[in-house]
């Protein structure tokens, strides 16, 4: 795939197929960094440690307004191995997410591009505190609508085509799961379902996912290097859950 195709610029003739004129840009990457987590359902302490993630995205021009509208899918899985401040407790976290959205696109002077639009956000997983006896696990579940935006610049460093971009997602409204204070999952299993689902807004369900990246177009395959700041926070039933990631991203675009 050439540079123009990767940038989402059609190079086909009027008789070219829709697939050729609207290519899919696929990005597959790994992330390694540091994480900090809090679950007052499991412990009043913050846990810190290593973070590992697999991330992928697929971007395609929308068929009807290919010059103004972009469709995007995202998927990822994240694993964290954390310790409490005294190194006497261990917590393992695993979460997954899926996103789908449509964004309006505007190009300026050919080199600059801005996108903004809604994105469906599906997020879930579990936090496991090894040392806990009665309640060792805190389940995570969220579904909502985010606002996704990006700004990018495409040009050349010498003879090498490059792209610098900043992509951000923040929530608008959604719903999330939270057990009652001191409520065990066995009680939920027995039928106590009161106050488990909460309407999420900025006051009780805040998140931000920001990726700053540099993309190098190396012929048919491209390399992307970046830094991700990812924060998820939920508050309900006098409980708080927080997951913070700072990670280095390396991706390939085949």
């Amino acid at each position: 795939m050439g540079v123009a195709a990767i940038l989402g610029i059609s190079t086909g003739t009027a008789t070219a197929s829709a697939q050729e004129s609207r290519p899919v840009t696929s990005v597959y990457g790994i992330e390694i960094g540091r994480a900090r987590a809090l679950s007052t359902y499991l412990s009043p302490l913050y846990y810190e440690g290593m973070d590992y993630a697999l991330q992928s995205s697929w971007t395609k021009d929308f068929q009807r307004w290919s010059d103004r509208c972009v469709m995007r899918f995202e998927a990822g899985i994240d694993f964290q191995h954390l310790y409490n401040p005294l190194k006497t407790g261990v917590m393992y976290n695993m979460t997954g997410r899926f996103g789908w959205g449509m964004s309006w696109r505007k190009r300026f002077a050919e080199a600059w591009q801005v996108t903004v639009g809604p994105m469906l956000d599906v997020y879930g997983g579990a936090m496991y505190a090894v040392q806990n006896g009665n309640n060792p696990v805190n389940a995570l579940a969220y579904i909502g609508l985010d606002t996704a935006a990006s700004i990018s610049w495409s040009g050349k460093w010498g003879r090498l085509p490059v792209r610098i971009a900043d992509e951000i997602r923040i929530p608008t409204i959604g719903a999330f799961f939270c057990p009652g204070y001191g409520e065990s999952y066995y009680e939920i299993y027995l039928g106590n379902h009161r106050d488990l689902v909460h309407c999420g807004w900025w006051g009780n369900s805040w998140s931000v996912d920001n990726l700053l990246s540099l993309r190098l177009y190396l012929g048919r395959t491209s390399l992307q290097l970046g830094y991700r700041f990812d924060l998820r926070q939920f508050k309900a039933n006098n409980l708080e859950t927080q997951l913070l990631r700072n990670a280095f991203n390396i991706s390939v675009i085949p």
Side-chain angles (χ1 to χ4, degrees):
M1 183 181 295
V3 173
I6 295 175
L7 293 176
I9 302 173
S10 174
T11 59
T13 64
T15 59
S17 67
Q19 179 63 26
E20 290 173 338
S21 63
R22 296 183 292 108
V24 176
T25 301
S26 303
V27 182
Y28 305 99
I30 61 173
E31 295 183 353
I32 300 176
R34 297 288 295 178
R36 189 184 191 202
L38 170 70
S39 172
T40 55
Y41 179 80
L42 301 175
S43 170
L45 302 176
Y46 279 94
Y47 283 64
E48 297 185 358
M50 293 299 298
D51 174 81
Y52 311 91
L54 297 175
Q55 302 286 342
S56 57
S57 67
W58 301 266
T59 306
K60 186 174 184 178
D61 295 346
F62 189 59
Q63 182 175 3
R64 188 171 181 181
W65 304 290
S66 60
D67 60 332
R68 292 177 296 171
C69 195
V70 180
M71 180 170 60
R72 182 179 177 92
F73 293 88
E74 293 182 357
I77 187 168
D78 179 66
F79 174 77
Q80 299 171 355
H81 182 194
L82 313 173
Y83 294 91
N84 67 12
L86 297 178
K87 308 294 184 182
T88 57
V90 179
M91 180 184 290
Y92 296 103
N93 301 336
M94 179 169 284
T95 58
R97 71 171 192 178
F98 169 81
W100 175 85
M102 305 277 301
S103 292
W104 168 83
R105 174 172 62 190
K106 178 67 176 179
R107 292 192 177 99
F108 301 91
E110 296 186 0
W112 291 91
Q113 176 176 283
V114 173
T115 67
V116 62
M119 176 169 281
L120 175 68
D121 183 5
V122 180
Y123 177 83
M127 309 172 73
Y128 172 54
V130 177
Q131 68 280 358
N132 283 19
N134 294 331
N135 297 328
V137 176
N138 183 24
L140 305 172
Y142 172 85
I143 184 170
L145 194 65
D146 294 352
T147 298
S150 73
I151 183 170
S152 63
W153 174 85
S154 299
K156 286 188 176 182
W157 284 355
R159 295 185 177 181
L160 180 65
V162 300
R163 175 179 178 266
I164 300 174
D166 190 28
E167 303 168 82
I168 189 169
R169 286 172 51 184
I170 59 174
T172 52
I173 193 169
F176 65 96
F177 166 83
C178 181
Y181 185 86
E183 180 182 21
S184 70
Y185 283 84
Y186 182 67
E187 293 176 279
I188 297 175
Y189 171 76
L190 292 179
N192 186 8
H193 299 155
R194 184 179 178 182
D195 294 331
L196 296 180
V197 179
H198 303 266
C199 178
W201 61 291
W202 286 6
N204 64 359
S205 175
W206 170 252
S207 70
V208 57
D209 183 0
N210 188 77
L211 175 63
L212 179 64
S213 64
L214 167 65
R215 189 173 297 182
L216 309 172
Y217 296 104
L218 309 172
R220 296 182 62 86
T221 301
S222 302
L223 177 68
Q224 178 173 287
L225 306 175
Y227 161 75
R228 185 184 298 275
F229 174 84
D230 185 10
L231 170 66
R232 295 266 181 173
Q233 188 174 35
F234 306 102
K235 295 181 179 180
N237 298 337
N238 295 316
L239 296 172
E240 180 177 357
T241 300
Q242 184 183 113
L243 294 96
L244 172 64
R245 303 172 53 226
N246 289 277
F248 174 74
N249 173 287
I250 180 168
S251 304
V252 294
I253 302 94

